[in-house]
Amino acid sequence: MPSTEDIDTTGISRYSIPDFKFLDGSSLSIEVAYRSFNPSAAKVICIPTCYGGRINSTLNFTSGALKDYHVVVIAMLGNGESTSPSNTAEGQFPQLDYQDVVKSQYELLTQHLEVKELEAVIGFSMGGQQAFYWACMYPNFMKVSIPICGSAKTSPHNWAFLEGPKSALLNSVDYADGAYRVKGINPIRGLHAFGRAYCAWAMSAAWFREKIWQKELGFETVDDFMVAEWERSFESWDPEDLLVLARMWQAADIGALRKDGDYTKALKDVKARVLVMPARTDQYFPPEDSEIEVKHLKHGELAVLETIWGHIGGGGANNADTEWMDRRIAAFLRQ
């Protein structure tokens, strides 16, 4: 589920990159927000944020599998903490590509934090897609990639799902065809519509059938749950941030890193050991897609999270799933 609070700045630092070159050819001075945990540790692990995630709401495993590592949680460009449409002059922010996001993270780690090598990149959802891009873009800089509920290429089904919440926001009255800032409008109806259209995809049918929203989260009705956890949770987000990230998510394809555009060959080129961790009931990134990806990886391993929590099971939504992932990550890093 998306972060339900305004941005928590606890422990967050920022690194400025002047005249950063984006894939689309544009340039912009940017800031990359991050937080270091256990910075005195010798081995470094990078965790990029996910869609709807902030640095301090990101599952970081620092009390378990990663307690002996220097963990750097990085806000991807566009999430509202790093440079994004919401904190950039109107019309100045380019359309993002994952290559831009990972490149900015690489510059932060190497130029500012002086990291010589990453032990791993671990990410959930869009963070998992970044983990795939990292393995392709900087193959000699990292040893391990652990995408959790993510993919190397966004599927047509996943693309179509995102059109729903996007359209709800784009067509809302108070989005005002993108002029809400100029007109001084708070696009609350559009943000609520976005969250409501998004909600049912995040958990599984079994999750709703078993009334987890009531039994474990304490809501009387599904509607109470949707309002509190999905409508209101997006109130702290700027529509253009949500849209620029959704478009990047839809365009994800590591094949774009090759001249021939073949994402299966891009997977075969990956040097890192890769632990692909889909959730059994994920409607965005189903395990069947992950099985295909692992077949093309030279050093790939599949570990399916058996959960009824759907996609959000991989993001720390419940203790049992988090503890299972923690054990699998710890074991894989020990290999």
Side-chain angles (χ1 to χ4, degrees):
M1 289 177 280
S3 176
T4 58
E5 304 293 335
D6 291 336
I7 296 176
D8 174 6
T9 60
T10 303
I12 294 177
S13 299
R14 287 176 172 79
Y15 173 58
S16 298
I17 306 177
D19 199 32
F20 181 82
K21 301 294 191 300
F22 287 82
L23 185 65
D24 69 359
S26 62
S27 298
L28 186 70
S29 293
I30 65 170
E31 286 190 341
V32 182
Y34 69 97
R35 182 174 182 180
S36 282
F37 296 85
N38 195 20
S40 62
K43 295 181 178 181
V44 184
I45 288 178
C46 169
I47 301 181
T49 56
C50 67
Y51 194 85
R54 310 290 196 189
I55 289 173
N56 284 319
S57 67
T58 296
L59 181 61
N60 58 43
F61 303 101
T62 52
S63 62
L66 307 186
K67 61 182 174 60
D68 296 324
Y69 294 87
H70 174 194
V71 175
V72 185
V73 180
I74 307 178
M76 63 177 160
L77 297 176
N79 92 319
E81 294 173 302
S82 291
T83 296
S84 308
S86 61
N87 52 39
T88 303
E90 189 80 20
Q92 296 299 306
F93 195 82
Q95 176 52 49
L96 273 180
D97 187 277
Y98 274 122
Q99 294 182 56
D100 301 318
V101 170
V102 173
K103 176 185 171 184
S104 71
Q105 294 167 3
Y106 179 78
E107 291 196 24
L108 161 71
L109 290 167
T110 57
Q111 302 302 311
H112 181 54
L113 298 180
E114 300 182 342
V115 175
K116 304 301 182 185
E117 179 184 60
L118 281 177
E119 197 69 17
V121 176
I122 303 172
F124 163 69
S125 193
M126 284 188 78
Q129 293 191 311
Q130 289 169 76
F132 274 114
Y133 269 80
W134 260 102
C136 294
M137 292 174 64
Y138 301 104
N140 298 316
F141 186 69
M142 55 184 292
K143 297 179 181 179
V144 169
S145 175
I146 304 181
I148 303 170
C149 299
S151 67
K153 179 179 180 179
T154 295
S155 70
H157 182 251
N158 195 340
W159 187 95
F161 140 61
L162 288 166
E163 284 298 288
K166 275 177 54 186
S167 295
L169 178 53
L170 287 166
N171 290 290
S172 65
V173 172
D174 51 6
Y175 177 71
D177 294 326
Y180 60 96
R181 274 196 274 182
V182 174
K183 294 182 177 181
I185 300 171
N186 180 12
I188 199 73
R189 288 176 61 182
L191 291 168
H192 285 178
F194 181 91
R196 183 165 282 262
Y198 202 120
C199 174
W201 286 87
M203 290 72 62
S204 72
W207 189 93
F208 284 96
R209 184 171 58 249
E210 295 297 323
K211 296 185 178 181
I212 302 302
W213 41 268
Q214 183 182 71
K215 295 177 181 176
E216 297 198 29
L217 302 182
F219 294 100
E220 286 297 321
T221 67
V222 174
D223 190 63
D224 290 343
F225 165 69
M226 293 178 73
V227 169
E229 297 294 333
W230 289 92
E231 290 189 10
R232 291 176 184 161
S233 62
F234 281 109
E235 290 178 1
S236 64
W237 282 81
D238 185 273
E240 294 303 331
D241 291 354
L242 293 172
L243 291 168
V244 78
L245 292 181
R247 291 175 183 128
M248 179 168 68
W249 177 352
Q250 288 179 304
D253 182 359
I254 61 169
L257 297 166
R258 293 177 53 91
K259 289 183 179 180
D260 62 9
D262 191 328
Y263 99 104
T264 62
K265 290 181 180 178
L267 287 168
K268 291 175 182 177
D269 290 340
V270 171
K271 295 181 180 180
R273 294 192 302 116
V274 185
L275 176 62
V276 181
M277 298 178 67
R280 177 67 66 191
T281 53
D282 192 338
Q283 298 186 83
Y284 313 171
F285 306 103
E288 293 83 359
D289 290 351
S290 298
E291 290 171 6
I292 295 170
E293 291 170 345
V294 170
K295 288 179 182 177
H296 295 289
L297 290 166
K298 293 177 182 176
H299 312 290
E301 180 178 323
L302 182 70
V304 180
L305 173 61
E306 300 294 346
T307 180
I308 67 168
W309 282 75
H311 182 69
I312 66 171
N318 69 93
N319 291 335
D321 290 342
T322 300
E323 290 168 2
W324 183 89
M325 290 187 292
D326 191 83
R327 290 193 298 270
R328 291 307 299 256
I329 290 169
F332 195 75
L333 292 174
R334 286 196 299 267
Q335 291 178 14

